[in-house]
DNA sequence: CAGTGGTCTAGACCACTTT
DNA sequence: AAGTGGTCTAGACCACTGG
């Protein structure tokens, strides 16, 4: 199924990852110790360690000497610009989502902001659109586009209020593996101004993103219009103290 | 000197890293093979591999089965927003730098856009400012701030036309280890408009950054005003195909 | 073909955390 | 003291690259 033949560390890694994603191990739980895993799988410890190191690199667990391998947030979000960590915790502020357009099938917008493959072009496009709020402020208008490809019943089963990436992981075993984005400052047009409750001409941040996924034919695209008047977009990378 | 005691994989890692940074191994060169390194260091192969895996994770080398460990770009630049790779290659377009303010010692701007430690506050501030051009277009006005701390003769020796991070690495053995940034869209004020040759009120992208370095007391701060009318800012993370 | 890195084993000792 | 992950050894076989 998944490209690689049967590398033993891969098999163990995949098994543990599935168990984490499915919730058999919950955030904060401790995985079986390396020695336990050795005993259970009949693998050498370095092989078990290799599997765990992969999981750690992917952000699924954190290893702590003397304690064990502890399940971390199910999903990393490295390098993504976000409102200080959007869907998750924004300093305890209440975050909410308004549906602007439920998933619908349509042709790709033209011109599109990233070049499309023939396969994608051909498949047609599913798009949906939503507005994100922090407290009472409308801070972001987001439209997501994806090819209508091997995602049966998607348009009917996805609820716009949920996390899209979580939905893909749980229902389609699709994970985000990379992202490229392009950022500009523009003046708001009438339509955008209306969605974000600002004035036409106000300064606005627009981000065009392309996500690659674990399914090589599936890329996901999105456009974000961000009102940064009150909340800035932020991100970090590398190791920052405290 | 460097925190860790004398882990053997660390020692080898540090040695190879220095040799790469100093140019003993140049970009594209192949490092000695794992077996050669084993022989030269009297270490087991897995220990040598551990050292090389660290280097790979940091972006100094790329390992290729059947070929060897190949030296990659001396410096990763993960997650940094840039004009499609600024100082380096912007599609062959000619990039240039104008000096607006040579390094000078002054108090920290107040209010500053990131909280400062007492030590930093105390040390005073060195700042300099420059405008970046692509072809004839002024695309970015950048001001950099750093504490006047353990960098003897910096204000006199640094030339604003050079790469600041390269200067720090070569002359002060300081490396960037992480970054956090905050991004907003604003309307240009008169001063910024003048530097970038745009009209007051034009939409502008402003980025405030804090870099942490390998010297724990030394953080570097910068503010970037970007005219994204013609050139967007972009970056990528994770693994993107092609 | 020889040489490279990738996987894997079966041990060992150490540093740290918890009981 | 018992259990955890971190480091390290000295082997082995495999898959891939190049001459």
């Amino acid at each position: 199924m998944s490209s690689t033949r049967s590398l033993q560390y891969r098999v163990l890694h995949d098994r543990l990852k599935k168990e984490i994603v499915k919730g058999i191990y919950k955030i904060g739980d401790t995985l079986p110790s390396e020695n336990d895993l050795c005993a259970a799988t009949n693998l050498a410890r370095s092989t078990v360690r290799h599997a765990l190191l992969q999981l750690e690199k992917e952000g699924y667990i954190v290893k702590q000497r003397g304690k064990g391998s502890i399940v971390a947030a199910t999903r990393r979000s490295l390098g993504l610009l976000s409102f200080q960590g959007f869907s998750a915790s924004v300093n305890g502020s209440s975050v909410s989502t308004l549906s602007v357009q439920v998933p619908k099938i349509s042709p790709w917008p033209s011109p599109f902001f990233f070049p499309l493959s023939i396969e994608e072009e051909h498949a047609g496009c599913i798009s949906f659109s939503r507005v994100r709020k922090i407290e009472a402020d409308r801070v972001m208008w987001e439209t997501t586009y994806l090819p209508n490809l091997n995602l049966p019943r998607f348009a009917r089963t996805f609820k716009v209020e949920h996390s899209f990436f979580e939905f893909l992981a749980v229902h389609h075993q699709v994970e985000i593996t990379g992202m490229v984005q392009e950022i500009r400052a523009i003046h708001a047009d009438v339509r955008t101004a209306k969605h974000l409750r600002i004035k036409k001409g106000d300064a606005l941040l627009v981000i065009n993103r392309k996500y690659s996924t674990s399914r090589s034919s599936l890329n996901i695209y999105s456009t974000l219009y961000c009102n940064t008047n009150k909340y800035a977009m932020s991100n970090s990378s590398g190791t920052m103290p405290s």
Side-chain angles (χ1 to χ4, degrees), chain A:
Chain A
M1 201 65 18
S2 60
S3 54
T4 48
R5 265 176 312 295
S6 68
L7 300 180
Q8 310 198 60
Y9 81 88
R10 247 300 143 193
V11 171
L12 176 57
H13 165 276
D14 289 353
R15 196 198 91 200
L16 292 171
K17 186 165 120 179
K18 269 185 197 125
E19 293 177 344
I20 291 172
V21 171
K22 285 189 181 171
I24 296 174
Y25 299 113
K26 296 185 175 44
I27 294 177
D29 285 1
T30 304
L31 294 188
S33 75
E34 297 182 351
N35 284 322
D36 287 353
L37 289 171
C38 291
T41 58
N42 268 306
L43 295 175
R45 190 164 153 231
S46 75
T47 304
V48 168
R49 278 181 65 74
H50 194 165
L52 293 176
L53 287 174
Q54 290 298 117
L55 284 175
E56 183 176 42
K57 199 164 72 174
E58 296 167 349
Y60 286 99
I61 62 171
V62 175
K63 308 184 95 212
Q64 290 185 38
R65 192 202 303 240
K67 290 188 170 176
S69 298
I70 296 164
V71 178
T74 308
R75 222 31 196 110
R76 68 261 169 195
S77 72
L78 278 175
L80 299 197
L81 280 171
S82 61
F83 282 100
Q84 12 210 30
F86 202 88
S87 228
S89 57
V90 182
N91 294 336
S93 301
S94 73
V95 169
S96 58
T97 304
L98 301 176
S99 174
V100 172
Q101 167 67 59
V102 298
K104 71 162 180 190
I105 297 174
S106 56
W108 292 94
S110 177
F112 200 60
F113 47 89
F114 282 106
L116 295 167
S117 72
I118 298 158
E119 197 183 3
E120 288 173 322
E121 188 87 58
H122 205 262
C125 170
I126 300 176
S127 66
F128 59 91
S129 169
R130 40 196 184 173
V131 166
R132 309 283 203 160
K133 291 169 68 173
I134 298 177
E135 306 289 353
D137 300 304
R138 298 180 171 220
V139 292
M140 183 167 98
W141 175 35
E142 170 195 34
T143 305
T144 303
Y145 307 90
L146 61 157
N148 187 8
L149 217 55
N150 298 322
L151 291 175
R153 294 174 305 283
F154 166 77
R156 296 201 329 266
T157 51
F158 174 61
K159 296 287 170 266
V160 177
E161 296 74 24
H162 298 1
S163 162
F164 179 47
F165 293 159
E166 198 177 307
F167 175 87
L168 285 178
V170 173
H171 291 80
H172 298 279
Q173 291 74 53
V174 168
E175 283 192 73
I176 305 302
T177 57
M179 181 226 39
V180 50
Q181 62 187 353
E182 204 181 74
I183 307 185
R184 290 188 159 82
I186 61 166
H187 295 285
D189 61 18
V190 186
R191 185 150 128 276
T192 311
K194 195 180 143 202
H195 282 306
L196 295 177
R197 302 277 190 272
I198 55 179
K199 289 196 300 292
K200 176 171 179 295
D202 278 1
L204 213 57
L205 202 149
V206 51
I207 303 178
N208 291 319
R209 280 186 187 160
K210 174 181 182 175
Y211 299 97
S212 57
T213 72
S214 50
R215 201 176 288 183
S216 67
S217 61
L218 178 63
N219 295 311
I220 296 166
Y221 303 87
S222 73
T223 299
L224 281 54
Y225 294 93
C226 306
N227 175 9
T228 57
N229 194 38
K230 192 159 168 183
Y231 299 93
M233 296 287 281
S234 68
N235 75 334
S236 64
S237 61
T239 60
M240 292 294 295
S242 73

